[in-house]
Amino acid sequence: DGGITQSPKYLFRKEGQNVTLSCEQNLNHDAMYWYRQDPGQGLRLIYYSQIVNDFQKGDIAEGYSVSREKKESFPLTVTSAQKNPTAFYLCASSIQTGQSNQPQHFGDGTRLSIL
Amino acid sequence: GNSVTQMEGPVTLSEEAFLTINCTYTATGYPSLFWYVQYPGEGLQLLLKATKADDKGSNKGFEATYRKETTSFHLEKGSVQVSDSAVYFCALSDPGDDYKLSFGAGTTVTVRA
């Protein structure tokens, strides 16, 4: 079955550490996205990528970094500069960004906690 | 800028009750509108969508109509089940904002047997 795989499901980080969240899709989608979800705040866009080797900042990019070396993969690194990283992180993809009616498909998320 | 406003929750209903979740939006362009559902511990699933004025999206007994004159996209279901307990998100995709999704804060719905 095609879909989006996020790993790990749960992740723990010590203060001062960088951690990388994995997102892989086999839907052959061009665009990929990272969101952060906090209770009562909905989803906020961290980064997005419309094409391989290109990405743009979303609304809350500070303290995060991404890469898009392959169409299928869009890993997110939460750096030590992110002061409040505890959250639920969701990865999504869509067929292309040139059409607003194309829905985004989501993975099952990674819950990051600080030890 | 773009924004989506949903009715505040949580909403608690009995089985077979009627559900309405209000959603209004502000957009710079002519957006497409979506409802997503999130079950506990999972990601979001697309529930339904509408791409132009007066379109009605429907799925699994849920419906929503794109109302341009009132900038609204209210979600309705005539008879809810316990399995409909989830968090519901209204969202828009605006071509004037690089087609990015803007989400409402989410409405938690609990259906009791």
Side-chain angles (χ1 to χ4, degrees), chain A residues 9 33 35 37 40-43 45 48 50 56-57 59 88 90 97-109, chain B residues 30-32 34 36 38 41-46 49 51 87 89 93-95 97-106:
Chain A
K9 191 170 179 67
Y33 310 80
Y35 294 91
Q37 185 178 19
Q41 293 191 40
L43 277 70
L45 182 64
Y48 65 105
Q50 299 173 322
Q56 287 80 40
K57 293 181 179 180
D59 300 319
F88 191 50
L90 286 161
T97 57
Q99 297 178 11
S100 66
N101 61 346
Q102 294 300 322
Q104 292 181 17
H105 299 257
F106 285 80
D108 284 339
Chain B
Y30 197 165
S32 293
F34 306 86
Y36 284 86
Q38 183 179 35
E42 298 183 6
L44 276 65
Q45 300 175 24
L46 178 68
K49 70 176 185 180
T51 59
V87 182
F89 292 93
S93 173
D94 186 352
D97 192 21
D98 211 14
Y99 304 98
K100 293 181 291 185
L101 276 178
S102 297
F103 286 88

Side-chain angles (χ1 to χ4, degrees), chain B residues 6 21 25 37 76 89-90 94:
Chain B
Q6 290 181 234
I21 304 176
Y25 68 89
V37 59
E76 297 182 337
F89 292 93
C90 185
D94 186 352

Side-chain angles (χ1 to χ4, degrees), chain B residues 18-64:
Chain B
F18 184 85
L19 171 68
T20 298
I21 304 176
N22 290 340
C23 171
T24 57
Y25 68 89
T26 302
T28 55
Y30 197 165
S32 293
L33 302 173
F34 306 86
W35 277 100
Y36 284 86
V37 59
Q38 183 179 35
Y39 299 102
E42 298 183 6
L44 276 65
Q45 300 175 24
L46 178 68
L47 184 58
L48 53 84
K49 70 176 185 180
T51 59
K52 60 183 186 296
D54 300 324
D55 265 2
K56 177 184 283 189
S58 61
N59 186 27
K60 300 181 181 180
F62 290 90
E63 293 182 340

